[in-house]
């Protein structure tokens, strides 16, 4: 049973969100705050009181655009707490999803809020609260949000075979299709290095375990990833070959 704080500086939106949350049987209590300052005061008091206190808060459903401090500002401040509540962003703006998940948000719900979509966000929160042994940011680090027709979807990073630079964007390729995200390839390279993604060209970042073939032809190198054949630049040829040799144990 979850203890919720909803934060929105627009009273009608706050009341609608609280109505939907209180109708969910997994919610023990849902209280509202009409701004960032009030929210931080209540969250700080709840954290100081401890998880067993009646004022405890498991999750904050947080608007982004508010007067004064934004929801993103609040999330950044909460990151400094020893045991902060989980965060779900509820916003009318699609463009902050990547930043939100960098801040370890559990979910990102677009307004107008649909009952079914909110129920999915509550489910995600309940799973994390129910498993105290799991890091609270697992969902954020294992997936990347993408926008499809105004709906935020979550693509497992393990499903991505390679990423392709397209200016300030990157196109993420999976077996079933591709998705365009507003993240430079250099940023993805830094984030996903520990997940086995390697840069093979200024245009391509590849999941090492998705490389099916390494080809050499007249001094040029390429790799086959599924049906795609991708060039490997001279700069990255030696390091890629060494990585593949180590991976195969040769």
């Amino acid at each position: 049973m979850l203890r919720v704080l909803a934060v929105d500086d627009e009273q009608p939106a706050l009341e609608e969100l609280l109505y939907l949350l209180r109708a969910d049987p997994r919610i023990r209590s849902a209280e509202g705050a009409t701004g960032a300052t009030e929210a931080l005061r209540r969250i700080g008091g709840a954290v100081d009181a401890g998880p067993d206190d009646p004022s405890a808060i498991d999750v904050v459903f947080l608007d982004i655009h508010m007067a004064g401090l934004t929801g993103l500002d609040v999330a950044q401040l909460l990151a400094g707490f020893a045991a902060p509540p989980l965060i779900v962003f509820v916003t009318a703006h699609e463009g902050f999803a990547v930043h939100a998940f960098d801040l370890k948000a559990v979910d990102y719900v677009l307004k107008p809020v649909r009952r079914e979509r909110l129920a999915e966000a509550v489910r995600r929160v309940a799973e994390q609260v129910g498993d105290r042994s799991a890091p609270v940011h697992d969902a954020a680090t294992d997936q990347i949000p993408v926008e499809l027709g105004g709906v935020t979807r979550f693509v497992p990073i393990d499903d991505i075979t390679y990423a392709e630079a397209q200016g300030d964007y990157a196109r993420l390729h999976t077996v079933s299709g591709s998705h365009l995200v507003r993240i430079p390839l250099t940023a993805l390279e830094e984030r996903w290095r520990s997940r086995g993604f390697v840069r093979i060209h200024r245009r391509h970042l590849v999941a090492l375990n998705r490389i099916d073939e390494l080809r050499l032809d007249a001094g040029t190198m390429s790799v086959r990833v599924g049906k795609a054949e991708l060039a490997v630049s001279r700069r990255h040829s030696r390091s890629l070959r060494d990585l593949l040799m180590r991976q195969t144990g040769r």
Side-chain angles (χ1 to χ4, degrees):
M1 297 291 286
L2 300 173
R3 298 158 295 186
V4 175
L5 178 66
V7 187
D8 198 314
D9 63 351
E10 296 182 0
Q11 191 67 34
L14 179 60
E15 290 176 358
E16 175 67 14
L17 179 58
L18 286 171
Y19 172 79
L20 293 173
L21 287 168
R22 289 166 179 164
D24 193 305
R26 294 164 294 187
I27 304 295
R28 178 194 300 179
S29 62
E31 304 299 329
T34 56
T37 301
E38 180 187 355
L40 287 169
R41 176 181 57 78
R42 295 177 67 170
I43 295 167
V47 170
D48 289 342
D52 297 324
D53 190 84
S55 68
I57 298 169
D58 296 309
V59 57
V60 181
F61 283 77
L62 185 59
D63 189 23
I64 288 182
H65 277 292
M66 297 186 290
L69 292 175
T70 69
L72 297 173
D73 294 329
V74 173
Q76 288 175 328
L77 290 169
L78 291 182
F81 284 38
L86 302 177
I87 294 173
V88 172
F89 284 105
V90 183
T91 177
H93 302 275
E94 301 176 8
F96 297 99
V98 172
H99 192 181
F101 283 90
D102 282 343
L103 292 169
K104 314 307 181 190
V106 175
D107 210 340
Y108 191 91
V109 179
L110 290 175
K111 297 178 181 179
V113 178
R114 294 181 294 108
R115 186 185 300 271
E116 297 81 5
R117 182 66 184 83
L118 189 64
E120 172 62 16
V122 172
R123 183 193 66 78
R124 290 170 182 261
V125 171
E127 283 185 353
Q128 292 199 18
V129 170
D131 186 4
R132 296 296 183 180
S133 63
V136 298
H137 58 275
D138 272 357
T141 57
D142 290 343
Q143 301 174 95
I144 184 167
V146 301
E147 300 299 327
L148 293 173
V151 177
T152 303
R153 305 287 186 188
F154 302 91
V155 176
I157 294 172
D158 287 345
D159 288 354
I160 297 167
T161 57
Y162 70 97
E164 180 181 6
Q166 294 190 356
D168 291 334
Y169 291 72
R171 182 165 293 281
L172 309 179
H173 293 266
T174 68
V175 173
S176 58
S178 69
H179 310 277
L180 193 66
V181 294
R182 192 171 185 174
I183 312 175
L185 199 66
T186 51
L188 291 179
E189 180 184 11
E190 181 66 27
R191 292 184 197 180
W192 293 352
R193 183 177 292 115
S194 62
R195 288 182 166 271
F197 282 80
V198 295
R199 193 70 170 261
I200 64 168
H201 191 276
R202 62 182 177 82
R203 290 193 58 203
H204 292 122
L205 181 70
V206 175
L208 196 65
N209 64 354
R210 295 285 191 160
I211 294 176
D212 298 309
E213 290 181 2
L214 177 67
R215 299 177 177 178
L216 291 170
D217 183 17
T220 62
M221 182 182 290
S222 63
V223 294
R224 184 173 62 82
V225 181
K227 295 180 180 179
E229 184 170 350
L230 308 174
V232 180
S233 69
R234 290 181 182 273
R235 175 185 174 189
H236 296 96
S237 295
R238 177 183 287 275
S239 60
L240 176 63
R241 187 166 52 189
D242 290 346
L243 283 169
L244 288 172
M245 294 289 278
R246 288 201 296 269
Q247 187 183 51
T248 57
R250 295 178 183 176

